[in-house]
Amino acid sequence: MSEKYTEMWRSLGLNLEAHQGLLAVLSDAYKGIYLSQKNRPEGMKYFDFVISEVHGRRIVEIVEEKSRGKQVFGTFCVYVPEELILAVDGLCIGLCAGADVGTEEAEKYLPRNTCALIKAFMGFKLAGLCPYVESSDLIIGETTCDGKKKAYEILNEITGKVYVMELPNMKAEEGKRLWRSEVKKLADKLTEVSGKKITLEKLNEAATVVWEKRRALQRLSALRASDPSPISGLDCLLINQVSFYDNPVRFTQMVNALCDELEGRVKNNVGVVPKGTPRILVSGSPMAIPNWKLHAIIEGSGAVAVGEESCVGERNFKTQADPQFATVEQGLEAIADRYLTINCACFTPNEGRLDDIQDMAARLHAHGVIHYALQFCTPYMVEAYKVKQRLEEKEVPFLRIETDYSMEDMGQLKTRVEAFIEVMKDGMNK
Ligand code: BJ8
């Protein structure tokens, strides 16, 4: 990334030397994992460009939007309603991080046995490496897992700009009522920070933007059901990661343009891998950017990832709320109810997630499911038991993996994934 951004990074308070080092590592990893892939769709060029400018051009855009009076709202969870943020002309940016960065600093505040995602978002902030956190006017957290909700207290002590939504643990009527009132409270908070009231026109407009974004991602997901798969799992994972910080209207256009190209591929039987390649559904903890580890292993071992039952994946876009509301009040309730359809392991019971996994595996013609949990991510680590039980009942091959962001276990994971692919192949030949 060009030195032309140095002044901007300095004014955002980044640690310039460490930041330069981070960008160099990122760029090498991207070249090795992404640009070395064969037969990629032309439409991926846009996403390559976005990544090459992840701390450059996009931050310039954000700084410009801020100078025009817009606010930036950072989030860590797909439960935070993007529609509301857009309705106050805000920019919604996902702040989850997927790399071992600033771990030493983070461990001054957090126990070592904290999940890598939490350590990383704290680490990025503490090491002065994230221009998105520094640009945020308000950071919106949520009471999901224990690690996150306690880390938000510390993050608020450090930044002074954290607001937390209370997410229920159960989806019964009481939980629904609580969540609806939390969504209304967030609307008030956004109005307070931005100085803009949420009008019906603005809410319908914002909900339409989000609806179209989700529809484009649904379209992409459906195209992966084809054999041969017209696009790699790595590329789809990247697109889902980019969806959390790109301009949503432009992002939707580019995903739709890519889907047009992929439809042509499907029609002509063109794939990134040969027909009959073993197909894997990945399910579990979110894979924040630049966490490409498991997909790189899967696709480097002769299989293809055809779906992600994950918040950086289908959990984020599976359900929709019809974006034409009659009143603001009705709109806020419909939006709250739509978010409560997301099946995160932080809820109990969470049978809906088991149905989602089973449904995705069938719909995408997966030959097996890899359950991915970040170490110390208790909700997903524990729920893996029920996922295994359900998939065994349906005779779907299942592999359970627990890992973090380090590269130390790459060899061991590769051996396990390769052995799993052999098991899947046996099933495919029956
Ligand atoms: S809706 S998955 S985005 S909470 S990996 S920090 S759960 S210990 S991220 Fe999530 Fe919202 Fe749920 Fe989705 Fe905790 Fe697990 Fe770490 Fe996690």
Side-chain angles (χ1 to χ4, degrees), residues 76-79 115 118 144-145 148 286 311 315 344 374 377 380:
F76 293 101
C77 178
V78 297
Y79 257 95
C115 100
I118 298 172
T144 45
C145 67
K148 263 180 164 182
C311 290
R315 234 182 272 139
C344 171
L374 282 173
C377 171
Y380 285 90

Side-chain angles (χ1 to χ4, degrees), residues 12 29 56 66 101 138 142 148 151 172 190 201 206 215 232 308 314 324 332 355 362 380 386 403 410:
L12 286 170
K66 280 173 75 89
V101 165
L138 187 73
E142 45 1 272
K148 263 180 164 182
L190 293 170
E201 195 192 351
R215 192 175 59 165
S232 68
E308 293 78 31
E314 200 156 318
Q324 291 313 308
L332 293 180
D355 298 339
Y380 285 90
K386 298 210 82 175
T403 184
M410 283 289 279

